[in-house]
Amino acid sequence: MNGTKEKVAEPQLEPVPLQLDRFIPYRLSVLTNTVSMVIASAYEREFGLTIPQWRVMAVLARYPDLSAIEVAERTAMDKVAVSRALQGLLDAKRVLRAFDKGDRRRSILRLSAAGQAVYTRVAPMALRYEAELLSALSPNDRRTLDRLLARLMEQAKSMQVSRDV
């Protein structure tokens, strides 16, 4: 040996294949999209609503006087998607926009009478679809699902906060 150290090649690790049919984030996304599309076909046909518009309306029906940013936070939707949905709802006169007296940059959103009327007709459709979907589960399974979803949401939020720090 001439005094130089030979580099030892580190073993190459085989990439672990991602099995989408077992990957929970993928499965939840597909389930959400499938559920949304089935109910959306009814309210889109009858009311001309998109999925993002319905989500915004549902949030504003439950929590009036939110800003667009607060709607985005409550729906976990992208701000651009919320903005587009809101513009369509404003154009259709289903949402009213006012401005905060203390901060004119902050808009305050709520359903108009027309928006409330649409919500009043779509919400029962959504609840019927939910009941039909959940009919595949026993009451005990429904409680377990609810508990597990709450736990996963809590964990996801915790992970998000730790990454934002």
Side-chain angles (χ1 to χ4, degrees):
M1 293 228 178
N2 58 10
T4 61
K5 289 187 177 180
E6 288 186 35
K7 288 188 178 180
V8 177
E10 291 188 29
Q12 296 294 315
L13 297 177
E14 289 289 318
V16 177
L18 180 64
Q19 296 177 359
L20 281 179
D21 58 335
R22 306 289 307 149
F23 187 57
I24 293 295
Y26 174 78
R27 294 170 69 192
L28 290 172
S29 177
V30 169
L31 176 62
T32 298
N33 290 338
T34 303
V35 169
S36 293
M37 285 188 287
V38 171
I39 185 66
S41 65
Y43 61 67
E44 183 176 15
R45 182 176 55 251
E46 193 166 338
F47 302 103
L49 285 174
T50 65
I51 293 170
Q53 287 173 338
W54 167 244
R55 288 181 182 161
V56 168
M57 288 183 71
V59 166
L60 290 176
R62 175 69 176 90
Y63 306 101
D65 300 330
L66 295 179
S67 69
I69 291 171
E70 291 166 327
V71 170
E73 289 169 356
R74 288 213 177 255
T75 59
M77 287 170 50
D78 179 76
K79 291 175 189 171
V80 173
V82 169
S83 178
R84 284 189 190 127
L86 278 170
Q87 193 56 58
L89 293 168
L90 287 163
D91 292 347
K93 306 216 181 323
R94 291 177 172 162
V95 168
L96 301 172
R97 181 189 325 214
F99 292 93
D100 189 315
K101 290 179 176 80
D103 182 355
R104 300 277 306 155
R105 296 171 299 172
R106 182 180 184 270
S107 62
I108 300 171
L109 304 162
R110 67 176 32 238
L111 294 181
S112 65
Q116 187 64 47
V118 169
Y119 173 81
T120 300
R121 295 202 37 218
V122 174
M125 292 167 48
L127 290 170
R128 280 192 303 273
Y129 181 75
E130 177 193 41
E132 184 180 346
L133 178 69
L134 292 176
S135 72
L137 304 177
S138 70
N140 189 47
D141 285 346
R142 290 179 199 181
R143 286 188 294 277
T144 300
L145 176 63
D146 189 56
R147 193 178 74 254
L148 293 173
L149 289 173
R151 196 179 310 163
L152 288 173
M153 180 58 85
E154 188 177 303
Q155 178 67 13
K157 285 180 178 179
S158 171
M159 292 166 55
Q160 186 178 30
V161 167
S162 69
R163 282 167 177 71
D164 291 344
V165 174

